[in-house]
Amino acid sequence: MGARRTAVGRAPAGGHPHARVAAPGPVAVEEGGLVLAAVRVLGADALLPAVLLGTPPDPDELAVFRKSVESFAPRADAAPTVLWSHWAMARTLRRLDPPSAAATADGTEPAAEWLDDASWQVLTHQLAVLAPLALPGEDSAVARAAQGRPVDVARGFVRAVRRRDWRQAAGAGRWLTLLHGVPGTLGLEAGLDFVELMGGHDPLVELQVRAARLLRTGAPV
């Protein structure tokens, strides 16, 4: 699982026009197992290079991703972040494999009212968990909630850095690259450098920081 996270995290870094997520050896889609679980942990970010760089996904990896979406459909009473994570994966599948996506999900967004009255601390935590939703030009109720509270997300980013919660800081930083109205005094670029320096040994932190830089510059990092 860790090897797969590292591969995904590093794929956007080179910016090669044919960069793909490196699969951890041959995968028997029918057998499921740890690979499907690893993809589920990464969520929509399992195919992030294809989404951000516009490169066709590897057919085998797309098949594993599709199987994960099909195998881990959440119950109606699942936690909101679980519902949104699944929705984000289904959205990615609709983008990259429309024929198969039609039978997977109807595209209806889960509820997002729980974010309306969330404190800035809770908001930042939830957004960090749902960082795969932070994509340029992609609208969702979660993205709109984030856009409505850029100062709160910035406060949460600073708090996460001070608490050395590098995963939360990296996820919040990714969102901040897309938000309008972020305080100029935040020093987001330097903050992301620091998060990478201190927490970049964690593949998930590395993934979010590299994605944030790509979103911020519009070019491979």
Side-chain angles (χ1 to χ4, degrees):
M1 188 181 300
R4 186 174 184 86
R5 289 179 185 173
T6 302
V8 175
R10 290 178 179 169
H16 190 280
H18 300 294
R20 293 193 178 104
V21 180
V27 175
V29 176
E30 296 80 4
E31 295 179 7
L34 289 179
V35 173
L36 292 181
V39 170
R40 193 63 185 178
V41 170
L42 285 169
D45 277 347
L47 295 179
L48 185 62
V51 173
L52 290 185
L53 301 177
T55 58
D58 179 272
D60 291 337
E61 292 177 1
L62 184 60
V64 173
F65 186 88
R66 180 172 59 250
K67 184 67 174 178
S68 181
V69 174
E70 295 169 348
S71 301
F72 292 95
R75 304 188 327 183
D77 60 350
T81 51
V82 174
L83 295 174
W84 273 102
S85 178
H86 182 78
W87 181 87
M89 293 183 72
R91 181 176 69 177
T92 297
L93 194 60
R94 288 195 299 274
R95 170 187 284 187
L96 299 177
D97 190 16
S100 70
T104 304
D106 61 8
T108 303
E109 289 190 0
E113 291 81 2
W114 97 99
L115 291 175
D116 293 343
D117 300 318
S119 67
W120 59 270
Q121 297 96 329
V122 171
L123 175 70
T124 304
H125 172 73
Q126 298 296 302
L127 290 178
V129 172
L130 295 175
L133 285 163
L135 294 171
E138 294 287 358
D139 182 48
S140 68
V142 173
R144 291 191 295 274
Q147 185 56 68
R149 299 173 64 179
V151 175
D152 283 345
V153 182
R155 291 176 67 190
F157 174 78
V158 172
R159 178 176 182 266
V161 170
R162 289 176 174 171
R163 292 167 61 92
R164 305 176 72 85
D165 187 341
W166 307 123
R167 286 192 180 185
Q168 185 170 139
R174 176 171 167 179
W175 278 105
L176 287 167
T177 62
L178 297 176
L179 303 184
H180 303 291
V182 176
T185 55
L186 177 63
L188 180 58
E189 186 171 351
L192 288 171
D193 288 344
F194 184 71
V195 170
E196 183 178 39
L197 175 65
M198 300 301 293
H201 59 279
D202 182 334
L204 287 179
V205 172
E206 182 186 23
L207 168 64
Q208 299 300 347
V209 171
R210 291 182 181 274
R213 288 209 186 96
L214 188 57
L215 296 174
R216 187 173 179 80
T217 65
V221 293

